[in-house]
Amino acid sequence: MPRAEVLEQIYTIVAQIPEGRVTTYGRIANMTDGATARMVGSAMRHLPSGHGLPWHRVINASRRVTEHTGAVRQHEKLRAEGVVFDARGRVLQDILWP
């Protein structure tokens, strides 16, 4: 897991992702002081229940939902926010944030 101050940066960034938009693990990492995309993924995996962060708005660099136990739920939450996936399961480039 990342250091506490880097975790706080990750959580602060994730909290700012607007509804109907997504960003990547790598983009979040680039906005922090030293996190990697894998660290961002780890931070998302280890969120405590009831946290309220929009974890579902974080996707992989190929603009797809990463395969994990919550992937179906993530797809559902994104679709409910109006996120559209193409035939290959990717979100459209123009909804990437920031």
Side-chain angles (χ1 to χ4, degrees):
M1 285 289 284
R3 300 182 321 270
E5 58 271 11
V6 174
L7 270 178
E8 186 61 34
Q9 290 174 8
I10 291 168
Y11 297 154
T12 299
I13 293 163
V14 171
Q16 296 174 40
I17 306 168
E19 185 174 321
R21 304 287 298 275
V22 297
T23 195
T24 66
Y25 301 104
R27 284 178 182 231
I28 293 171
N30 289 337
M31 292 184 241
T32 68
D33 295 326
T36 65
R38 287 181 187 264
M39 287 177 180
V40 174
S42 177
M44 295 298 95
R45 266 192 316 279
H46 293 97
L47 284 169
S49 61
H51 55 76
L53 285 176
W55 60 272
H56 60 284
R57 298 179 187 149
V58 185
I59 61 173
N60 65 36
S62 61
R63 301 191 332 261
R64 291 182 172 94
V65 169
T66 299
E67 290 300 321
H68 57 87
T69 56
V72 170
R73 186 163 153 240
Q74 185 173 5
H75 271 282
E76 291 169 352
K77 289 174 85 64
L78 290 172
R79 284 190 189 101
E81 292 184 355
V83 173
V84 177
F85 294 85
D86 68 15
R88 295 169 68 188
R90 296 177 304 187
V91 300
L92 305 178
Q93 180 80 31
D94 62 345
I95 68 162
L96 284 175
W97 176 88

